[in-house]
Amino acid sequence: MSTPSKPLAGLKVIELGTLIAGPFASRICAEFGAEVIKVESPDGGDPLRKWRKLYEGTSLWWFVQARNKQSLTLNLKHPEGREVLKQLLAEADILIENFRPGVLEKLGLGWDVLHALNPRLVMVRLSGFGQTGPMKDQPGFGAVGESMGGLRYITGFEDRPPVRTGISIGDSIAALWGVIGALMALRHREVNGGQGQVVDVALYEAIFAMMESMVPEFDVFGFIRERTGNIMPGITPSSIHTTADGRHVQIGANGDAIFKRFMQAIGRNDLAEDTSLASNDGRDARRDELYGVIDRWANSLPLNQVMQVLNDAEVPASRIYSAQDMFDDPQYLAREMFLQAKLPDGKPFRMPGIVPKLSDTPGSADWVGPQLGEHTDTVLGGLGYDAAAIARLRQSGAV
């Protein structure tokens, strides 16, 4: 029985991205079958190669973020380097770039030029503030997008300054919007007979789009959501609690039937039968009382007993996982969320599994992030350059 093609097989994606947002978007495409050619500067390549924990000089993050990609070095300040890029884009389906707006235009590679070169090309542009507006030329990282988009304002405790999440969530969410937009544009091209188009994703808008009821609540009531720590006013009970052995557990008992089961399970039938607590609005009005009850119960038992009670009562809950917790967890293992791979020197290591899970055409990680320029000769050969021409490009500084 033949192995089915991945869902994006046959698509060619060119990545002009560094660090997080653009490379994460193209990584998703690569995992699901697209041919992804990552264009890097010959002078060191993507800075992500040197970010966070390094193994023999290369970031472990790099080996994940650039998996399934080909690395081509091009000097885009060199006219012959730009000519090679144009040849690639002439036959590409998607271009993913996260330069500051105007950079590609200065290189003579703006949308008008590329659309004329390849009318079918979909161009995904990820930037801090988008391609238009008074702030378009300002630099903007994910942290800035999280701040302007509203996430940082509501994250943390009310008596302390805002805090960040522990990952670059703004960049990653923007990358997801970029992939969604690219797939929409491809469907329009393939099904509706349309041409390629620009997918314009601003980091602050990517976060803003996730902010739930923030806009209508302010517009209708003048209500500004503030930092509330581990609880979420308006949805009760849902919070993190500390157990007798100093562990932490997230309990989400905000469904009406779930709340009743939870109270019965911890011996509080009085609260389970209290009609004023039968719906969320009533519980939220007494949230301080309820959280006190739950805090005292959780603090009286070790984590394993807390989890046993919650699981038996079918109350949504989880201990707060560290990476160590994940590595031995039966659910993670059953879902193949750790893939075995090898570093360049042969050392085995585990990297994150594929998301989402497709039943018929699943994605995969076929190789780890490549060495800088590892596929330059192969890609150029595919464009018709022979060994002498490639050597000349190298000598001229174009690759």
Side-chain angles (χ1 to χ4, degrees):
M1 182 176 179
S2 62
T3 301
S5 296
K6 294 182 183 179
L8 301 185
L11 291 178
K12 177 173 283 189
V13 178
I14 308 301
E15 179 201 307
L16 298 177
T18 60
L19 300 177
I20 305 172
F24 185 39
S26 65
R27 166 187 153 186
I28 296 169
C29 296
E31 289 170 349
F32 287 92
E35 178 188 2
V36 175
I37 299 173
K38 179 178 178 66
V39 176
E40 299 187 79
S41 167
D43 185 19
D46 190 333
L48 190 73
R49 290 175 175 272
K50 299 293 183 182
W51 273 32
R52 298 197 59 83
K53 298 292 185 180
L54 307 186
Y55 180 80
E56 300 203 348
T58 299
S59 166
L60 289 171
W61 188 2
W62 165 261
F63 292 120
V64 176
Q65 189 81 315
R67 62 190 184 187
N68 290 12
K69 300 180 189 179
Q70 302 175 62
S71 173
L72 164 70
T73 55
L74 285 181
N75 179 1
L76 297 184
K77 296 179 181 179
H78 194 291
E80 288 186 283
R82 294 194 295 275
E83 182 57 34
V84 171
L85 179 60
K86 285 183 178 180
Q87 291 181 56
L88 285 172
L89 293 174
E91 57 184 33
D93 295 285
I94 303 173
L95 166 63
I96 297 175
E97 66 95 5
N98 64 348
F99 292 122
R100 195 186 305 187
V103 169
L104 285 182
E105 284 74 10
K106 290 178 182 177
L107 293 171
L109 297 169
W111 173 244
D112 55 341
V113 174
L114 298 183
H115 186 59
L117 176 70
N118 179 359
R120 292 171 53 81
L121 182 70
V122 172
M123 186 179 191
V124 178
R125 312 198 75 172
L126 298 140
S127 63
F129 307 102
Q131 302 298 312
T132 59
M135 297 180 69
K136 68 180 179 66
D137 295 325
Q138 295 186 26
F141 284 161
V144 175
E146 294 164 30
S147 300
M148 186 174 176
L151 179 61
R152 294 288 180 99
Y153 188 85
I154 62 170
T155 304
F157 290 84
E158 59 186 344
D159 59 343
R160 304 173 212 173
V163 299
R164 62 166 295 160
T165 57
I167 58 170
S168 302
I169 192 71
D171 292 286
S172 298
I173 289 176
L176 295 176
W177 284 121
V179 174
I180 291 169
L183 296 178
M184 290 177 178
L186 287 176
R187 176 173 172 82
H188 175 64
R189 191 187 78 179
E190 302 299 334
V191 176
N192 300 332
Q195 294 188 326
Q197 59 185 298
V198 174
V199 177
D200 180 2
V201 179
L203 268 64
Y204 84 94
E205 292 168 357
I207 292 296
F208 177 74
M210 311 298 290
M211 296 305 293
E212 299 178 350
S213 57
M214 181 184 74
V215 168
E217 288 174 351
F218 176 73
D219 194 45
V220 175
F221 298 120
F223 174 77
I224 297 175
R225 190 181 300 184
E226 301 287 347
R227 293 181 292 284
T228 55
N230 291 323
I231 71 169
M232 185 173 289
I235 303 175
T236 302
S238 179
S239 188
I240 294 174
H241 305 272
T242 303
T243 62
D245 50 354
R247 305 291 294 277
H248 306 290
V249 57
Q250 169 69 47
I251 302 174
N254 45 285
D256 297 345
I258 295 171
F259 173 77
K260 187 171 184 177
R261 292 199 304 270
F262 182 29
M263 291 299 101
Q264 291 170 338
I266 66 173
R268 293 302 304 263
N269 286 317
D270 57 321
L271 299 177
E273 301 302 328
D274 190 330
T275 56
S276 71
L277 300 175
S279 60
N280 181 70
D281 57 340
R283 292 192 296 272
D284 195 55
R286 293 169 60 183
R287 64 174 178 264
D288 291 345
E289 173 192 352
L290 294 177
Y291 283 131
V293 168
I294 300 168
D295 277 337
R296 288 188 292 273
W297 171 75
N299 198 241
S300 71
L301 298 171
L303 176 66
N304 63 336
Q305 291 185 37
V306 168
M307 290 303 303
Q308 187 65 55
V309 171
L310 294 168
N311 289 337
D312 289 347
E314 298 184 355
V315 176
S318 174
R319 71 183 189 271
I320 307 301
Y321 277 59
S322 68
Q324 184 176 4
D325 295 323
M326 298 171 188
F327 266 45
D328 298 319
D329 186 82
Q331 181 67 20
Y332 273 86
L333 299 178
R335 298 276 293 174
E336 298 182 343
M337 286 313 300
F338 297 105
L339 302 179
Q340 294 288 344
K342 290 185 178 180
L343 294 165
D345 65 356
K347 178 181 175 63
F349 79 113
R350 282 181 279 184
M351 59 180 177
I354 305 297
V355 178
K357 309 292 186 188
L358 272 62
S359 61
D360 292 342
T361 56
S364 65
D366 301 316
W367 65 86
V368 299
Q371 296 178 3
L372 181 62
E374 182 176 333
H375 302 93
T376 296
D377 287 7
T378 301
V379 174
L380 292 177
L383 293 174
Y385 290 83
D386 60 21
I390 294 172
R392 184 183 58 77
L393 287 174
R394 279 204 170 86
Q395 187 174 17
S396 71
V399 302

